[in-house]
Amino acid sequence: MTSTIPAFGSAPGPLSRPSAAARTTAAPARSAGTGLQAVLLDMDGTLVDTEGFWWDVEVEVFASLGHTLDESWRHVVVGGPMSRSAGFLIEATGADIALPELTVLLNDGFEARIDGALPLMPGAERLLAELSEHRVPTALVSASHRRIIDRVMNSLGRHHFVLSVAGDEVPRTKPHPDPYLSAAAGLGADPARCAVVEDTATGVTAGEAAGCQVVAVPSVAPIAPAAGRTVVPSLEVVDLPFLRGLMTEMR
């Protein structure tokens, strides 16, 4: 069953934003006695059940511009950075709108949709609590913009994350390795000793390019198994012993 977290109106306000691209809080000690140094988590479709929200907003915005989106395009835009997904839709539809203007409309529409209770993916709440309890350094790494991440983190619980990296804060976002390399560096961790949890091929590509151990939990589109990649049906089967086991298999 999908659980929910409270509406944003009951959450604390955004924290002050440091100038560094990766937002941090005081870092807990690394997980001792194991090869696992950090866990790096994607947001949309991995922790929160919002991939469908993005598509609904894209459909609505383009409808207002006089265009109908083909359902098959959903797999093209899922998991990608705003610049890529929005750019693709402009080109595919021929809509008369500039990318910066469309980006604002999409972010505004998404924020309006998450003003209510935010649905969690099955197993997400339990996994975050377990990582916090055992003081495993954890980062939220998303292609979404900072304005979106801050709102979602207010509801997920900022105390679960030492650090967060947004798609508009790195030179190249997913599928490039930059976001995960930035997160690992911010946590003082070896990327090879970091477990990445992702729901899309774009995010999996980014994690693997960074040299991390990747767990794929497909949401909208299937992800094929591959060497060094673990594919699972749900976060409900992912726990701390499972993630530590990924490091054991490296040896």
Side-chain angles (χ1 to χ4, degrees), residues 201-217:
T202 298
V204 166
T205 298
E208 291 178 342
C212 303
Q213 305 304 304
V214 177
V215 179
V217 191

Side-chain angles (χ1 to χ4, degrees), residues 94-205:
D96 184 18
I97 188 170
L99 182 60
E101 182 184 357
L102 178 58
T103 296
V104 171
L105 291 177
L106 294 176
N107 276 325
D108 286 349
F110 184 79
E111 283 191 86
R113 282 188 173 267
I114 61 175
D115 272 341
L118 188 60
L120 286 174
M121 297 300 289
E125 186 172 19
R126 186 264 315 149
L127 177 60
L128 288 175
E130 182 179 14
L131 294 175
S132 292
E133 178 184 357
H134 292 274
R135 296 179 57 79
V136 178
T138 303
L140 188 66
V141 184
S142 175
S144 291
H145 289 186
R146 170 55 56 183
R147 60 181 284 195
I148 300 297
I149 286 183
D150 279 345
R151 297 197 67 174
V152 173
M153 284 183 68
N154 283 342
S155 288
L156 280 174
R158 289 177 178 268
H159 62 283
H160 289 306
F161 306 99
V162 177
L163 175 151
S164 64
V165 178
D168 56 341
E169 296 174 337
V170 288
R172 303 178 304 171
T173 190
K174 304 172 187 179
H176 298 286
D178 304 39
Y180 284 114
L181 291 175
S182 177
L187 295 173
D190 177 357
R193 295 293 173 180
C194 293
V196 162
V197 185
E198 276 278 1
D199 73 302
T200 67
T202 298
V204 166
T205 298

